[in-house]
Amino acid sequence: MMRNSSFMNCLACLAAILLWTRCQSKESTKETEAKLPNIVVIYMDDLGYGELSAYGATELQTPNMDRLANEGMKFTNAYASSATCTPSRYALLTGVYPWRNENAKILPGTAPLLIDVDQMTIPKMLKTKGYHTSIVGKWHLGLGDGNVDWNQKVSPGPNEVGFDYSYIMAATQDRVPTVYIENGHVVGLEKDDPILVDYENNFEGEPTGKDNPELLKMMWHHGHNNSIVNGIPRIGFMKGGENAKWIDEDMADEFLGKAQDYIRGRKNESAPFFLYYAFQQPHVPRTPHPRFVGASGMGPRGDVILEADWCIGEFMKTLEDEGFLENTLVIFSSDNGPVLNDGYYDDAVEKLGNYKPSGPFRGGKYSLFEGGTRISFVTYWKGKIKPGVSEALVSQLDLLTSLSKLVGSNIATEDSMDMLAVLMGESTAGREEVILEATTRTALRSGDYVMIPPYEGPKINQFVNIELGNDSEYQLYNIKEDPGQNMNLASSQPEVLERLVKRFEELRGGGYDKIEQLELK
């Protein structure tokens, strides 16, 4: 009996040791995972460098964006890769220059998936380190194989390039199909009301903005005169899916709610998360919720910027309320520079006043001048990143390799540079150079200079009233001394021009003069 009792005691001790060891292992795993920060990218759509009060805006006050900028690291020499939407989003997620992919252009709503399913992306990289990944908001990187049946699962898409969860609009707010897609499925779709989409031909009997202006609550200026949804004419033709169509004025609330739900859903999960929160503002059509109509005094464009600022404030409150704020790196930026009239009459031009969306820079969306690609860029991490201003040259291309370094991965791309120390405010040693792109045309930023090669085409796009950067001669600007690019130094500094042209051709390769003219639809 004594032997048996001793044996049982030994077993009990062994079991206790094993249980303790197992618990310690779990705790160790949780501690390891907790050391990896959550990562949020807040990506605006067509927001210019000068649109935050923290970046000099006087007519608008953006307190929640300002909080990120003033309490984090505010960059003044940061660039999107491109002056238009799709290429910039491609570069941000893949760490690859968009001009390396001939299809990386402004995509129609029926374009196939631009990112190859085997290609490395930020969410794929983070998943190798145990992250749960998500996208909420604007996608505009193509879906499917180019022949999508919107009434079945739409694939491949975000879920096939690294996102565990996706709640998106397919392209842009002004393009059909005007529906939300959750993990590949159109939200609210009814089987007896299938969706049909065509970008060439209308469906019989369907009204259009061009032929039925009496049905419009927002008048089109150029393009944007096809199918009418919620009184707004769109690009492309759509029929059916009535119950699935979004209500434009509710879109900001819809995406905010989904982003908040995602954060709240991670509270009891041990894995770190990555959220790509892609806003639709202030892209056209600008449709503020009634709560924000008239709030800016600058028409719908100003109103939706204030609406977006409020959304950011609510989102940041959720991060804080759920206990994530001190272990979350937040990156704020925009996909390209601003545009006022981009296809609709909405008083953006008439109510501009002294407001300068591009700040001190020349040009805007679609432009090779600084206003096209120089954007607001902020890194915020409470308790980790000290407030400051950085003049280091950085590109959104650098996020993939820099975040890889942050989480202990060795994944990198040739175009994406390790700027982690710069993003964290620990170094001012940014890039030496970066290639900039605008609708297939490319230029070089090197040190304090920008060199723009000669390009054919109009100097100004009359529809949007933006200087495109085209000229028959080389252009060379000292961007530090002349941020407005008013003085072309090509003839007065030939040695600098020759050096930059040579370097540009080394980086870019031949054939860069084969361009496509900007076509607004």
Side-chain angles (χ1 to χ4, degrees), residues 302-317:
D303 294 345
V304 299
I305 292 175
L306 297 187
E307 179 181 52
D309 183 73
W310 175 83
C311 288
I312 289 171
E314 294 300 300
F315 175 77
M316 294 301 293
K317 286 179 187 176

Side-chain angles (χ1 to χ4, degrees), residues 67 88 123 129 166 195 257 301 313 317 376 392 399 436 473-474:
R67 177 190 172 190
S88 285
K129 290 297 179 178
S166 66
I195 294 174
R301 188 175 188 277
K317 286 179 187 176
S376 53
L399 288 182
L436 309 172
E473 305 292 333
Y474 280 99

Side-chain angles (χ1 to χ4, degrees), residues 332-377:
F332 171 90
S333 196
S334 177
D335 61 350
N336 49 249
V339 58
L340 298 177
N341 182 337
D342 203 22
Y344 298 98
Y345 288 100
D346 65 0
D347 288 336
V349 176
E350 291 79 2
K351 294 186 176 181
L352 184 64
N354 295 320
Y355 186 60
K356 298 179 179 179
S358 294
F361 305 120
R362 188 176 179 181
K365 184 177 181 179
Y366 311 116
S367 176
L368 265 182
F369 288 127
E370 288 292 279
T373 52
R374 183 91 76 96
I375 37 78
S376 53
F377 185 89

Side-chain angles (χ1 to χ4, degrees), residues 17-59:
I17 291 171
L18 289 173
L19 180 61
W20 180 84
T21 303
R22 186 178 179 185
C23 289
Q24 287 297 105
S25 177
K26 283 186 175 181
E27 289 302 315
S28 176
T29 300
K30 286 184 178 180
E31 287 177 10
T32 300
E33 289 176 333
K35 290 178 182 178
L36 291 176
N38 307 304
I39 301 168
V40 174
V41 173
I42 297 175
Y43 209 44
M44 302 301 296
D45 193 0
D46 293 355
L47 187 76
Y49 181 94
E51 312 236 50
L52 280 66
S53 33
Y55 275 81
T58 54
E59 278 71 15

